[in-house]
Amino acid sequence: MSIRRFNATAPGFVEAFGKFLALRRAQGTEDVHAVTAVIVRDVRERGGEAVASYTLRFDKIVVDAKTLQSAEIDLVEQAERCDPKVREALNFAADRIETYHAQQKPQDHSFVDPNGLELGWRWTPVDAVGLYVPGGRASYPSSVLMNAIPARAAGVKRIAMVSPVPGGQFNPAVAYAAVRAGVTEFYPIGGAQAVAALAYGAGDLKPVDKIVGPGNAFVAAAKRIVFGDVGIDTIAGPSEITVVGDNQSNPEWIAADLLSQAEHDPLAQSILITDDAAWAGSVEAAVEQQIIALATSTTAVQAWRDYGAVVIAPLSQAAEIVNQIAPEHVEIATADPDAIANSVRHAGAIFLGRYAPEALGDYVTGSNHVLPTSGAARFASGLSVLDFMKRTSIQRISEKGFHHLAQTAETLAASEGLPAHGLSVSIRRGGG
């Protein structure tokens, strides 16, 4: 299978490579907003009746319009069916994710300036979080852990999970992950109607403050519509990996790493950056050999064929190419990975060394695998405890501090044409 190759030292590389990246990012943008808006509006107006109707129509299961529960699904019962080995693995992963995210909790802070003003900030968790978990092929228990555990670490008291259960089929591993991660409510509903129910309430499901978790195009559109009434995490795009490698790395290992993201989605992107064209050929050959044996080969072949690429570049140029891509994940499998990583400014997660496959980060390093995609690493970060907390500024102003600030505040209020602002200051100086 022919794969795109770029030479980073060739004239016009940055522009040509930029067009290649933009080609993929323009895909999958079918306009579903109008259909989604109708569903969201209906749920907002009719509540549980609308949710029950859409759930029967799309998922073929009956949920009670008030409780939004189904006689076919019990979360705890489903969790008990989880395979013991999978349960053990989820416990191991959960422990590591808890340890990592406990370190992220920010501290309150205050200080007194030379004029006697006490300034600072305080962090508090949001009260309630809605967790959307896809059903079907994209039903991943690890994602439940990655979304729910940081919320719990932040101190969120209420975590309401929604997930479609088409035909009554529900993944026991997802159920166990939900119980292990501290989900407090579960509703077997999905799609735009579930997002709307989380945002505005429906039946016994009370509104939440923030909605997190990936979904299909309708879920993404619904999150865009309700944003502002509630917070959202991000609009997730297809998976991405960039691997920077040298010829001392095992080409079969690197090929497997590239395929680890290609198998996710036909729009997934895997890019190899190396200074050795012959070694790159060995990696390509290993991809060709491995890809045919994958159970996910149909997806992986399409992603690798349409959006895979090899960039031949001096390793001294690798960081800038990574920054242009701003990938979800970047592996640096070279003799001195830090020399490159220290110049990488835009990446969701960085994996250093030849024994650092991105797949470990998906499950068990403890770091979060909910990461910015489609170049969003230029301005966004992966999910963390901070996403479930708010910072409130605090100011205690003494009389001395007031007089230090008052005249300047009055001047600025006057310059902006806001007399009541000025009066609220001048009246305390006896000038009102």
Side-chain angles (χ1 to χ4, degrees), residues 31-205:
D31 185 12
V32 297
H33 181 89
V35 174
T36 304
V38 170
I39 295 174
V40 170
R41 187 183 312 114
D42 193 19
V43 172
R44 195 169 188 178
E45 292 174 355
R46 296 198 298 127
E49 293 290 343
V51 175
S53 175
Y54 288 119
T55 302
L56 181 60
R57 175 180 168 187
F58 295 129
D59 297 331
K60 305 296 187 277
I61 69 164
V62 175
V63 297
D64 183 88
K66 184 175 187 302
T67 64
L68 299 188
Q69 298 296 327
S70 169
E72 301 178 48
I73 298 296
D74 180 275
L75 187 69
V76 175
E77 286 181 5
Q78 291 293 322
E80 290 173 351
R81 298 179 186 177
C82 182
D83 180 274
K85 288 186 178 179
V86 176
R87 184 180 307 192
E88 183 180 357
L90 287 170
N91 287 336
F92 180 90
D95 288 343
R96 294 194 58 86
I97 296 165
E98 286 167 343
T99 299
Y100 182 93
H101 287 83
Q103 301 295 317
Q104 294 180 334
K105 194 166 183 181
Q107 300 298 310
D108 297 347
H109 181 70
S110 66
F111 64 96
V112 179
D113 76 7
N115 297 289
L117 280 84
E118 183 182 340
L119 304 170
W121 51 85
R122 180 178 64 202
W123 291 89
T124 55
V126 300
D127 289 337
V129 165
L131 169 55
Y132 189 96
V133 178
R137 185 184 69 171
S139 182
Y140 301 131
S142 60
S143 289
V144 178
L145 300 180
M146 293 291 183
N147 281 276
I149 288 176
R152 197 182 67 190
V156 176
K157 296 218 173 352
R158 180 178 163 232
I159 304 174
M161 181 175 121
V162 298
S163 181
V165 187
Q169 299 299 310
F170 191 52
N171 185 339
V174 168
Y176 181 78
V179 172
R180 174 63 179 80
V183 167
T184 56
E185 302 169 27
F186 172 66
Y187 304 91
I189 58 176
Q193 61 272 20
V195 174
L198 288 170
Y200 303 117
D204 289 343
L205 171 54

Side-chain angles (χ1 to χ4, degrees), residues 304-358:
W304 179 242
R305 179 193 66 214
D306 294 346
Y307 302 110
V310 172
V311 180
I312 307 302
L315 293 183
S316 60
Q317 197 177 337
E320 279 309 305
I321 299 171
V322 170
N323 289 332
Q324 183 181 3
I325 301 166
E328 180 183 16
H329 314 95
V330 59
E331 293 181 11
I332 306 178
T334 62
D336 186 4
D338 290 304
I340 296 171
N342 290 341
S343 296
V344 171
R345 303 186 307 280
H346 308 311
I350 299 174
F351 297 80
L352 302 173
R354 306 190 202 279
Y355 285 88
E358 179 279 328

Side-chain angles (χ1 to χ4, degrees), residues 227-291:
F227 176 61
D229 293 323
V230 293
I232 63 172
D233 50 354
T234 186
I235 305 298
S239 299
E240 304 161 347
I241 187 170
T242 294
V243 180
V244 180
D246 62 21
N247 60 14
Q248 297 306 300
S249 290
N250 187 321
E252 293 185 357
W253 294 8
I254 302 303
D257 295 351
L258 293 166
L259 290 174
S260 72
Q261 296 308 294
E263 72 175 347
H264 267 300
D265 191 293
L267 292 172
Q269 184 157 66
S270 302
I271 296 175
L272 174 65
I273 302 171
T274 182
D275 60 348
D276 190 320
W279 179 80
S282 298
V283 174
E284 290 180 54
V287 168
E288 298 285 340
Q289 185 177 26
Q290 292 177 20
I291 204 168

